[in-house]
Amino acid sequence: MTELTPRLVMALLFLPVFPFSALFVQLLGRRIQSAPIRAALFLLWPLAGVILLGSALAIPDWLRIWVLLSALLYAVRLLATRDLRLWSAYLGASAYSMLWLLRPEFTSGWQSALSLGAPLALMAIVGDALEQRFGAAYGGLYGGLHLHQPRLAGSLTLTTLAAVASPVFPGFFVLTGIVLHTDPGIATGILFVWILWTWAAVVLLQSFMFGRPQSLPAVTDLPDKSLYGLVASLAALLLVSLALFTTLLQGG
Amino acid sequence: MDVLLLLLISLPLVSAGAVRLAPAGAPLRAGKISATFSVLTALAAAVLFAGQLFEHHSGAPQTSQTLLLLDPLGTLMALVIAAISLVVHIYSLRYMAEEPRYAHFFMLLDLMTASLILMVTAGNLILLLVAWHLIGVLLYFLLGFETRSRSAQRYALWTLLTYRLGDIPIVIAVALLYHAYGTLYLPHLFELVRDNPSITTEGLPVVMTASALIVLSAFARSAQFLLHTWLPYTMEGPTPVSALMHAGIVNAGAFIINRFAPLFIDAGPVLHWAFFVGLFTAIIGSMLMLIQNDIKKSLGYSTMGQMGFMIMECGLGAFSLAIFHLIAHGLFKGTLFLSSGSVIGRARHSDDVPKNSVYTFVVERQPSASKPSWLTMALLTVATPALLLGFAHWFVSNDILQEQGAVILLFFGWMTGAQLLYSIHRMETADPWRMIALAVFSLLIIVVGYTLISYAFGVFLYPDEAMRLAIYHAAGITQPFFYTLVGLAALVIFAGWLLVYRSDRHDNGPRNGAVWLSAYTHLSRELYISDFYSLFGRTLFRVSARLNRWLRWL
């Protein structure tokens, strides 16, 4: 059994595994209100994790199963979650824990952490835009977002797709890379977690787009500056995808 | 050719970008831009296909790059996709004109076309996975385009989840193949498999396991039994999307099996499995189709039945025939859906049932002048298809009866032909002999055409005859089992005919019995499979909510 060194315990916090994930979920899902701080933490948290983990640490089998179960737990919890903040925190807990399964000799740790963290950082910003306009970023409170605020709806859709590792976003290549370099049992588990993410993402998006459009006075859509910023960030993510795709091919 | 191949994939992507950037005040312009690009895409695909036809091909890829593949299968499928996409684009120009997100629809349609073409031309396993996965995501947005309809959204989600479920086996298959052979480039992989097909990983035979996983993915994509429920329910999406899905996207199962054809030479049992699943799907799909009263849902179950036949053909080793079936079905089902959309549109504007010559012929039956005797008709229905099929196949290849798969297909064609002629005999008409003559003539054209074209497809897709024979051989079973199976199938079909004949003669016959009513009840509930999936989904949501309550601090 691998000894729980301080470094390993710290890594368990930063690549959050249940119940160590409590800190991450409380901070990013409930406590921190500021969107820029949440966005920065979404980026830095897994980076700290992969740095702590390094490349030399051998992961025992029991820990691999534990991180997979933890990822599965948070993926299931995503299904019934409607609050965008909590949703992104649960997704982060599920996604970042899978970085334990990464093989750094095949896939770059920091690139993978960035690929999974950046869409969540963007979600924090989009969520903040929703909160500013409607008072809360909560699915089911108002409907028809795509009809009245198409830019906001488009941004929410694209960032959510990126966050749940849909192609052609980099998360897809990170998960494919992990699956490609692990054994079939773990790969199957990862893929089931991936399906639950997709399911939860669609349910979340539907809760924002469906239902009766809110009858409040017209709410402004995303301004040009914010939209261009989001589009530029998503375009940068596509470049990261290209890098990861090339790495995968070299691995093959 | 490399440039043209890149152009083929880029054109729909450029179109999607152009449509997105089109002025917001002129959405109709977006549709025209998209349609123009789809014409160009179809032209590029046609040129590539023509190039493939005229070049001497040896089965090896004719491209200098390692990401894309220029082979007969890819170019043929790209042409089919581009052609169906073109028809759907042109139809949608007016059909979708009243939609508030008209330009958005065309952008999604273009992205879907690009993904489909990428899937069929991908020469690299990762790129294939990207396209395979992306199609599910884009289909979700297309099927759920009508955001005011909750059921459209619900079933779009079902489709996405089934597609994602189908992604799992193919991703694991790719991982297994990569581990075993160390390459992601398809032609190289096939060479390595040919040289060493018996590699094992952790005690598992890699080729057999990967083949089984690929077939499992094909089952999900092509709506095979137990993974079929998404298909008939996705009718609230726009009609052009239904046409695109039923004509093209759902056929991915046969494509992926064909794409990995060299693996199946060493995976005979997997082909047998595909045969039985396909057969069962064809039967269940046909039965469920018969009890539908909604035209689009009925067409949905019809597609399920056809997909069953297609997978069954793969299971028999008739890979190229499955591709021919895919194209033939795609063309007629696409036009059927577009027509059904028009019929529904007309019906919404008029209280009358639409009447035309077909309606008058089928519904307002003409009284019969004189019908041929039952014995004459029985002989005619049984003998004519057998003679036509035998002659047509002998013309193509006189040793075709050596292959079990070919025998089963001939047997199937014979039974279907007889069933067709019998159905026509039952129709009321003033001049039955004229109709029978026309039916026999039509059957002749269909049988000869089907035989010749399917043979040509075989030669085009798999120029290496040894490979064609190897796949047929892999699909073979032991002789006693084979003859028992054929005999059993003949008995079941014959019993079915007798039952139909008897129930026709006695209107209050067995159809009112308890067994029939019970069967009808269960079938009308579609065998409770979708109910089971809904129950599973609801249970999982309850578990999720309960976990969130219990673990609110964690």
Side-chain angles (χ1 to χ4, degrees), chain B residues 222-224 230-232 235 242 245-248 250-251 281-282 285-286 289 296-310 325 329 332-334 336-337:
Chain B
S222 287
Q224 298 302 290
W230 59 274
L231 183 67
M235 299 305 161
S242 299
M245 189 171 80
H246 287 258
V250 76
N251 294 315
T281 304
S286 310
M289 184 187 98
K296 283 176 102 184
K297 205 167 172 190
S298 177
L299 288 176
Y301 275 115
S302 148
T303 300
M304 176 187 164
Q306 293 280 358
M307 292 301 106
F309 282 126
M310 195 178 71
H325 188 161
H329 170 255
F332 76 72
K333 193 53 71 71
L336 263 176
F337 263 100

mmCIF file of all heavy atoms in Angstrom, chain B residues 222-224 230-232 235 242 245-248 250-251 281-282 285-286 289 296-310 325 329 332-334 336-337:
data_model
loop_
_atom_site.group_PDB
_atom_site.id
_atom_site.type_symbol
_atom_site.label_atom_id
_atom_site.label_comp_id
_atom_site.label_asym_id
_atom_site.label_seq_id
_atom_site.Cartn_x
_atom_site.Cartn_y
_atom_site.Cartn_z
ATOM 1 N N SER B 222 -26.959 1.958 -35.508
ATOM 2 C CA SER B 222 -27.948 1.544 -36.498
ATOM 3 C C SER B 222 -29.199 0.959 -35.847
ATOM 4 O O SER B 222 -29.905 0.162 -36.463
ATOM 5 C CB SER B 222 -27.327 0.542 -37.474
ATOM 6 O OG SER B 222 -26.450 1.215 -38.337
ATOM 7 N N ALA B 223 -29.465 1.376 -34.625
ATOM 8 C CA ALA B 223 -30.737 1.083 -33.959
ATOM 9 C C ALA B 223 -31.085 -0.398 -33.948
ATOM 10 O O ALA B 223 -32.200 -0.778 -34.275
ATOM 11 C CB ALA B 223 -31.861 1.888 -34.617
ATOM 12 N N GLN B 224 -30.135 -1.229 -33.533
ATOM 13 C CA GLN B 224 -30.462 -2.644 -33.419
ATOM 14 C C GLN B 224 -31.217 -2.888 -32.110
ATOM 15 O O GLN B 224 -31.148 -2.078 -31.181
ATOM 16 C CB GLN B 224 -29.189 -3.486 -33.476
ATOM 17 C CG GLN B 224 -28.449 -3.349 -34.787
ATOM 18 C CD GLN B 224 -29.287 -3.738 -35.998
ATOM 19 O OE1 GLN B 224 -29.590 -4.896 -36.205
ATOM 20 N NE2 GLN B 224 -29.686 -2.748 -36.790
ATOM 21 N N TRP B 230 -34.446 5.074 -29.593
ATOM 22 C CA TRP B 230 -34.303 6.484 -29.976
ATOM 23 C C TRP B 230 -34.852 6.741 -31.382
ATOM 24 O O TRP B 230 -35.398 7.802 -31.661
ATOM 25 C CB TRP B 230 -32.821 6.894 -29.923
ATOM 26 C CG TRP B 230 -31.923 6.093 -30.821
ATOM 27 C CD1 TRP B 230 -31.331 4.905 -30.518
ATOM 28 C CD2 TRP B 230 -31.533 6.395 -32.155
ATOM 29 N NE1 TRP B 230 -30.594 4.462 -31.582
ATOM 30 C CE2 TRP B 230 -30.703 5.354 -32.598
ATOM 31 C CE3 TRP B 230 -31.808 7.463 -33.021
ATOM 32 C CZ2 TRP B 230 -30.152 5.344 -33.877
ATOM 33 C CZ3 TRP B 230 -31.244 7.441 -34.284
ATOM 34 C CH2 TRP B 230 -30.435 6.388 -34.693
ATOM 35 N N LEU B 231 -34.739 5.752 -32.262
ATOM 36 C CA LEU B 231 -35.007 6.009 -33.688
ATOM 37 C C LEU B 231 -36.466 6.366 -33.992
ATOM 38 O O LEU B 231 -36.730 7.394 -34.610
ATOM 39 C CB LEU B 231 -34.528 4.816 -34.524
ATOM 40 C CG LEU B 231 -34.671 4.971 -36.018
ATOM 41 C CD1 LEU B 231 -33.739 6.046 -36.551
ATOM 42 C CD2 LEU B 231 -34.352 3.660 -36.731
ATOM 43 N N PRO B 232 -37.430 5.553 -33.564
ATOM 44 C CA PRO B 232 -38.804 5.883 -33.960
ATOM 45 C C PRO B 232 -39.367 7.092 -33.229
ATOM 46 O O PRO B 232 -40.405 7.608 -33.607
ATOM 47 C CB PRO B 232 -39.595 4.623 -33.576
ATOM 48 C CG PRO B 232 -38.595 3.590 -33.239
ATOM 49 C CD PRO B 232 -37.374 4.293 -32.812
ATOM 50 N N MET B 235 -39.216 11.916 -34.141
ATOM 51 C CA MET B 235 -39.955 12.429 -35.293
ATOM 52 C C MET B 235 -40.383 13.879 -35.133
ATOM 53 O O MET B 235 -40.959 14.437 -36.040
ATOM 54 C CB MET B 235 -41.193 11.560 -35.536
ATOM 55 C CG MET B 235 -40.845 10.131 -35.841
ATOM 56 S SD MET B 235 -39.723 10.066 -37.234
ATOM 57 C CE MET B 235 -39.050 8.452 -37.029
ATOM 58 N N SER B 242 -35.017 14.481 -40.146
ATOM 59 C CA SER B 242 -35.441 13.076 -40.166
ATOM 60 C C SER B 242 -34.935 12.412 -41.439
ATOM 61 O O SER B 242 -34.441 11.286 -41.407
ATOM 62 C CB SER B 242 -36.972 12.970 -40.134
ATOM 63 O OG SER B 242 -37.475 13.539 -38.976
ATOM 64 N N MET B 245 -31.254 11.865 -41.208
ATOM 65 C CA MET B 245 -30.917 10.827 -40.242
ATOM 66 C C MET B 245 -31.253 9.441 -40.783
ATOM 67 O O MET B 245 -30.432 8.527 -40.735
ATOM 68 C CB MET B 245 -31.688 11.072 -38.942
ATOM 69 C CG MET B 245 -31.235 10.170 -37.833
ATOM 70 S SD MET B 245 -31.957 10.652 -36.281
ATOM 71 C CE MET B 245 -33.571 9.936 -36.441
ATOM 72 N N HIS B 246 -32.465 9.311 -41.328
ATOM 73 C CA HIS B 246 -32.888 7.982 -41.798
ATOM 74 C C HIS B 246 -32.201 7.600 -43.105
ATOM 75 O O HIS B 246 -32.072 6.424 -43.407
ATOM 76 C CB HIS B 246 -34.408 7.938 -41.961
ATOM 77 C CG HIS B 246 -35.109 7.895 -40.647
ATOM 78 N ND1 HIS B 246 -35.639 6.750 -40.125
ATOM 79 C CD2 HIS B 246 -35.316 8.852 -39.725
ATOM 80 C CE1 HIS B 246 -36.154 7.016 -38.948
ATOM 81 N NE2 HIS B 246 -35.982 8.293 -38.678
ATOM 82 N N ALA B 247 -31.798 8.594 -43.875
ATOM 83 C CA ALA B 247 -31.161 8.270 -45.154
ATOM 84 C C ALA B 247 -29.661 8.095 -44.997
ATOM 85 O O ALA B 247 -29.037 7.378 -45.767
ATOM 86 C CB ALA B 247 -31.446 9.382 -46.164
ATOM 87 N N GLY B 248 -29.082 8.750 -44.005
ATOM 88 C CA GLY B 248 -27.621 8.721 -43.949
ATOM 89 C C GLY B 248 -27.028 8.331 -42.616
ATOM 90 O O GLY B 248 -26.298 7.350 -42.517
ATOM 91 N N VAL B 250 -28.070 7.018 -39.778
ATOM 92 C CA VAL B 250 -28.346 5.730 -39.141
ATOM 93 C C VAL B 250 -27.608 4.573 -39.835
ATOM 94 O O VAL B 250 -27.459 3.492 -39.271
ATOM 95 C CB VAL B 250 -29.884 5.515 -39.101
ATOM 96 C CG1 VAL B 250 -30.413 5.126 -40.446
ATOM 97 C CG2 VAL B 250 -30.264 4.474 -38.073
ATOM 98 N N ASN B 251 -27.136 4.827 -41.035
ATOM 99 C CA ASN B 251 -26.434 3.771 -41.774
ATOM 100 C C ASN B 251 -24.985 3.591 -41.320
ATOM 101 O O ASN B 251 -24.265 2.761 -41.874
ATOM 102 C CB ASN B 251 -26.416 4.103 -43.274
ATOM 103 C CG ASN B 251 -27.802 4.084 -43.858
ATOM 104 O OD1 ASN B 251 -28.564 3.169 -43.590
ATOM 105 N ND2 ASN B 251 -28.146 5.092 -44.638
ATOM 106 N N THR B 281 -33.743 -7.870 -35.090
ATOM 107 C CA THR B 281 -34.138 -6.456 -35.238
ATOM 108 C C THR B 281 -35.085 -6.290 -36.420
ATOM 109 O O THR B 281 -36.076 -5.549 -36.337
ATOM 110 C CB THR B 281 -32.885 -5.579 -35.450
ATOM 111 O OG1 THR B 281 -32.000 -5.798 -34.370
ATOM 112 C CG2 THR B 281 -33.237 -4.113 -35.539
ATOM 113 N N ALA B 282 -34.770 -6.980 -37.514
ATOM 114 C CA ALA B 282 -35.624 -6.876 -38.703
ATOM 115 C C ALA B 282 -37.035 -7.363 -38.382
ATOM 116 O O ALA B 282 -38.034 -6.723 -38.764
ATOM 117 C CB ALA B 282 -35.022 -7.691 -39.847
ATOM 118 N N GLY B 285 -38.671 -4.893 -35.722
ATOM 119 C CA GLY B 285 -38.941 -3.605 -36.372
ATOM 120 C C GLY B 285 -40.142 -3.704 -37.290
ATOM 121 O O GLY B 285 -41.011 -2.812 -37.312
ATOM 122 N N SER B 286 -40.224 -4.786 -38.048
ATOM 123 C CA SER B 286 -41.343 -4.946 -38.987
ATOM 124 C C SER B 286 -42.650 -5.103 -38.230
ATOM 125 O O SER B 286 -43.680 -4.536 -38.625
ATOM 126 C CB SER B 286 -41.117 -6.173 -39.868
ATOM 127 O OG SER B 286 -39.830 -6.128 -40.411
ATOM 128 N N MET B 289 -43.670 -1.809 -36.801
ATOM 129 C CA MET B 289 -44.081 -0.894 -37.882
ATOM 130 C C MET B 289 -45.541 -1.112 -38.246
ATOM 131 O O MET B 289 -46.282 -0.168 -38.512
ATOM 132 C CB MET B 289 -43.196 -1.132 -39.103
ATOM 133 C CG MET B 289 -43.462 -0.198 -40.248
ATOM 134 S SD MET B 289 -42.510 -0.683 -41.688
ATOM 135 C CE MET B 289 -43.716 -1.591 -42.599
ATOM 136 N N LYS B 296 -44.780 9.019 -39.763
ATOM 137 C CA LYS B 296 -43.335 9.146 -39.544
ATOM 138 C C LYS B 296 -42.816 8.074 -38.581
ATOM 139 O O LYS B 296 -41.724 7.553 -38.753
ATOM 140 C CB LYS B 296 -43.001 10.545 -39.034
ATOM 141 C CG LYS B 296 -43.012 11.596 -40.149
ATOM 142 C CD LYS B 296 -42.772 12.965 -39.607
ATOM 143 C CE LYS B 296 -41.355 13.424 -39.849
ATOM 144 N NZ LYS B 296 -41.090 14.735 -39.232
ATOM 145 N N LYS B 297 -43.625 7.737 -37.585
ATOM 146 C CA LYS B 297 -43.194 6.703 -36.640
ATOM 147 C C LYS B 297 -43.144 5.347 -37.349
ATOM 148 O O LYS B 297 -42.250 4.531 -37.102
ATOM 149 C CB LYS B 297 -44.151 6.660 -35.452
ATOM 150 C CG LYS B 297 -43.501 6.110 -34.219
ATOM 151 C CD LYS B 297 -44.368 6.370 -33.016
ATOM 152 C CE LYS B 297 -43.798 5.654 -31.809
ATOM 153 N NZ LYS B 297 -44.705 5.665 -30.684
ATOM 154 N N SER B 298 -44.120 5.147 -38.222
ATOM 155 C CA SER B 298 -44.127 3.907 -38.996
ATOM 156 C C SER B 298 -42.868 3.826 -39.862
ATOM 157 O O SER B 298 -42.217 2.776 -39.961
ATOM 158 C CB SER B 298 -45.387 3.879 -39.861
ATOM 159 O OG SER B 298 -45.394 2.752 -40.655
ATOM 160 N N LEU B 299 -42.512 4.946 -40.467
ATOM 161 C CA LEU B 299 -41.282 4.982 -41.270
ATOM 162 C C LEU B 299 -40.057 4.756 -40.380
ATOM 163 O O LEU B 299 -39.064 4.146 -40.799
ATOM 164 C CB LEU B 299 -41.144 6.325 -41.991
ATOM 165 C CG LEU B 299 -42.101 6.569 -43.166
ATOM 166 C CD1 LEU B 299 -41.911 7.969 -43.719
ATOM 167 C CD2 LEU B 299 -41.878 5.546 -44.252
ATOM 168 N N GLY B 300 -40.128 5.237 -39.149
ATOM 169 C CA GLY B 300 -39.025 5.044 -38.205
ATOM 170 C C GLY B 300 -38.812 3.560 -37.930
ATOM 171 O O GLY B 300 -37.675 3.061 -37.969
ATOM 172 N N TYR B 301 -39.903 2.847 -37.669
ATOM 173 C CA TYR B 301 -39.771 1.410 -37.429
ATOM 174 C C TYR B 301 -39.373 0.673 -38.706
ATOM 175 O O TYR B 301 -38.689 -0.343 -38.657
ATOM 176 C CB TYR B 301 -41.060 0.837 -36.839
ATOM 177 C CG TYR B 301 -41.095 1.001 -35.346
ATOM 178 C CD1 TYR B 301 -42.042 1.806 -34.722
ATOM 179 C CD2 TYR B 301 -40.166 0.360 -34.538
ATOM 180 C CE1 TYR B 301 -42.057 1.968 -33.354
ATOM 181 C CE2 TYR B 301 -40.164 0.519 -33.169
ATOM 182 C CZ TYR B 301 -41.113 1.323 -32.579
ATOM 183 O OH TYR B 301 -41.109 1.478 -31.219
ATOM 184 N N SER B 302 -39.825 1.205 -39.834
ATOM 185 C CA SER B 302 -39.403 0.597 -41.100
ATOM 186 C C SER B 302 -37.880 0.721 -41.244
ATOM 187 O O SER B 302 -37.201 -0.215 -41.653
ATOM 188 C CB SER B 302 -40.132 1.300 -42.254
ATOM 189 O OG SER B 302 -39.350 1.343 -43.388
ATOM 190 N N THR B 303 -37.356 1.878 -40.863
ATOM 191 C CA THR B 303 -35.897 2.053 -40.918
ATOM 192 C C THR B 303 -35.209 1.059 -39.984
ATOM 193 O O THR B 303 -34.193 0.468 -40.334
ATOM 194 C CB THR B 303 -35.507 3.490 -40.507
ATOM 195 O OG1 THR B 303 -36.124 4.385 -41.419
ATOM 196 C CG2 THR B 303 -34.013 3.702 -40.547
ATOM 197 N N MET B 304 -35.809 0.855 -38.821
ATOM 198 C CA MET B 304 -35.213 -0.104 -37.878
ATOM 199 C C MET B 304 -35.142 -1.492 -38.524
ATOM 200 O O MET B 304 -34.118 -2.176 -38.439
ATOM 201 C CB MET B 304 -36.064 -0.147 -36.605
ATOM 202 C CG MET B 304 -35.600 -1.167 -35.593
ATOM 203 S SD MET B 304 -36.808 -1.255 -34.240
ATOM 204 C CE MET B 304 -36.312 -2.797 -33.478
ATOM 205 N N GLY B 305 -36.232 -1.888 -39.174
ATOM 206 C CA GLY B 305 -36.244 -3.185 -39.864
ATOM 207 C C GLY B 305 -35.169 -3.249 -40.942
ATOM 208 O O GLY B 305 -34.428 -4.238 -41.061
ATOM 209 N N GLN B 306 -35.069 -2.175 -41.712
ATOM 210 C CA GLN B 306 -34.066 -2.144 -42.794
ATOM 211 C C GLN B 306 -32.647 -2.204 -42.229
ATOM 212 O O GLN B 306 -31.762 -2.842 -42.796
ATOM 213 C CB GLN B 306 -34.220 -0.861 -43.614
ATOM 214 C CG GLN B 306 -35.504 -0.771 -44.407
ATOM 215 C CD GLN B 306 -35.446 -1.552 -45.697
ATOM 216 O OE1 GLN B 306 -34.420 -2.139 -46.037
ATOM 217 N NE2 GLN B 306 -36.547 -1.582 -46.418
ATOM 218 N N MET B 307 -32.454 -1.522 -41.100
ATOM 219 C CA MET B 307 -31.133 -1.570 -40.476
ATOM 220 C C MET B 307 -30.820 -2.994 -40.009
ATOM 221 O O MET B 307 -29.678 -3.443 -40.048
ATOM 222 C CB MET B 307 -31.064 -0.607 -39.277
ATOM 223 C CG MET B 307 -31.122 0.871 -39.634
ATOM 224 S SD MET B 307 -29.804 1.388 -40.726
ATOM 225 C CE MET B 307 -30.666 1.572 -42.265
ATOM 226 N N GLY B 308 -31.873 -3.683 -39.557
ATOM 227 C CA GLY B 308 -31.689 -5.083 -39.172
ATOM 228 C C GLY B 308 -31.207 -5.907 -40.354
ATOM 229 O O GLY B 308 -30.248 -6.689 -40.244
ATOM 230 N N PHE B 309 -31.834 -5.697 -41.522
ATOM 231 C CA PHE B 309 -31.407 -6.423 -42.730
ATOM 232 C C PHE B 309 -29.956 -6.092 -43.077
ATOM 233 O O PHE B 309 -29.166 -6.953 -43.457
ATOM 234 C CB PHE B 309 -32.303 -6.059 -43.919
ATOM 235 C CG PHE B 309 -33.630 -6.754 -43.882
ATOM 236 C CD1 PHE B 309 -34.812 -6.055 -43.965
ATOM 237 C CD2 PHE B 309 -33.702 -8.139 -43.771
ATOM 238 C CE1 PHE B 309 -36.033 -6.694 -43.924
ATOM 239 C CE2 PHE B 309 -34.918 -8.786 -43.731
ATOM 240 C CZ PHE B 309 -36.086 -8.059 -43.807
ATOM 241 N N MET B 310 -29.643 -4.815 -42.931
ATOM 242 C CA MET B 310 -28.299 -4.355 -43.306
ATOM 243 C C MET B 310 -27.228 -5.017 -42.422
ATOM 244 O O MET B 310 -26.219 -5.511 -42.928
ATOM 245 C CB MET B 310 -28.260 -2.831 -43.147
ATOM 246 C CG MET B 310 -27.125 -2.143 -43.802
ATOM 247 S SD MET B 310 -27.293 -0.372 -43.533
ATOM 248 C CE MET B 310 -26.925 -0.260 -41.798
ATOM 249 N N HIS B 325 -27.229 -1.814 -50.001
ATOM 250 C CA HIS B 325 -28.513 -1.709 -49.298
ATOM 251 C C HIS B 325 -28.623 -0.339 -48.628
ATOM 252 O O HIS B 325 -29.657 0.329 -48.700
ATOM 253 C CB HIS B 325 -28.592 -2.837 -48.265
ATOM 254 C CG HIS B 325 -29.926 -2.960 -47.597
ATOM 255 N ND1 HIS B 325 -30.338 -4.080 -46.939
ATOM 256 C CD2 HIS B 325 -30.956 -2.093 -47.484
ATOM 257 C CE1 HIS B 325 -31.549 -3.894 -46.454
ATOM 258 N NE2 HIS B 325 -31.937 -2.693 -46.770
ATOM 259 N N HIS B 329 -31.509 2.122 -49.583
ATOM 260 C CA HIS B 329 -32.453 2.492 -48.524
ATOM 261 C C HIS B 329 -32.387 3.993 -48.240
ATOM 262 O O HIS B 329 -33.404 4.653 -48.063
ATOM 263 C CB HIS B 329 -32.146 1.691 -47.254
ATOM 264 C CG HIS B 329 -32.896 2.174 -46.058
ATOM 265 N ND1 HIS B 329 -32.313 2.910 -45.058
ATOM 266 C CD2 HIS B 329 -34.196 2.062 -45.720
ATOM 267 C CE1 HIS B 329 -33.219 3.215 -44.162
ATOM 268 N NE2 HIS B 329 -34.368 2.710 -44.529
ATOM 269 N N PHE B 332 -34.324 5.974 -50.983
ATOM 270 C CA PHE B 332 -35.798 5.934 -50.955
ATOM 271 C C PHE B 332 -36.353 6.424 -49.631
ATOM 272 O O PHE B 332 -37.390 7.069 -49.591
ATOM 273 C CB PHE B 332 -36.367 4.578 -51.393
ATOM 274 C CG PHE B 332 -36.293 3.448 -50.409
ATOM 275 C CD1 PHE B 332 -37.107 3.438 -49.290
ATOM 276 C CD2 PHE B 332 -35.472 2.351 -50.635
ATOM 277 C CE1 PHE B 332 -37.067 2.383 -48.392
ATOM 278 C CE2 PHE B 332 -35.425 1.293 -49.740
ATOM 279 C CZ PHE B 332 -36.221 1.320 -48.623
ATOM 280 N N LYS B 333 -35.629 6.161 -48.524
ATOM 281 C CA LYS B 333 -36.159 6.616 -47.237
ATOM 282 C C LYS B 333 -36.057 8.133 -47.110
ATOM 283 O O LYS B 333 -36.934 8.775 -46.536
ATOM 284 C CB LYS B 333 -35.415 5.901 -46.105
ATOM 285 C CG LYS B 333 -36.038 6.027 -44.716
ATOM 286 C CD LYS B 333 -37.496 5.643 -44.661
ATOM 287 C CE LYS B 333 -37.796 4.184 -44.802
ATOM 288 N NZ LYS B 333 -37.426 3.350 -43.699
ATOM 289 N N GLY B 334 -35.001 8.698 -47.674
ATOM 290 C CA GLY B 334 -34.867 10.152 -47.664
ATOM 291 C C GLY B 334 -36.034 10.809 -48.378
ATOM 292 O O GLY B 334 -36.687 11.722 -47.852
ATOM 293 N N LEU B 336 -38.914 9.461 -49.007
ATOM 294 C CA LEU B 336 -40.160 9.166 -48.287
ATOM 295 C C LEU B 336 -40.379 10.147 -47.150
ATOM 296 O O LEU B 336 -41.488 10.632 -46.939
ATOM 297 C CB LEU B 336 -40.087 7.757 -47.701
ATOM 298 C CG LEU B 336 -40.742 6.634 -48.489
ATOM 299 C CD1 LEU B 336 -40.492 5.304 -47.811
ATOM 300 C CD2 LEU B 336 -42.230 6.862 -48.598
ATOM 301 N N PHE B 337 -39.321 10.448 -46.429
ATOM 302 C CA PHE B 337 -39.468 11.375 -45.313
ATOM 303 C C PHE B 337 -39.808 12.770 -45.790
ATOM 304 O O PHE B 337 -40.666 13.449 -45.231
ATOM 305 C CB PHE B 337 -38.191 11.393 -44.458
ATOM 306 C CG PHE B 337 -38.303 10.509 -43.274
ATOM 307 C CD1 PHE B 337 -37.743 9.252 -43.282
ATOM 308 C CD2 PHE B 337 -39.012 10.901 -42.160
ATOM 309 C CE1 PHE B 337 -37.866 8.411 -42.202
ATOM 310 C CE2 PHE B 337 -39.153 10.064 -41.067
ATOM 311 C CZ PHE B 337 -38.569 8.814 -41.089
#
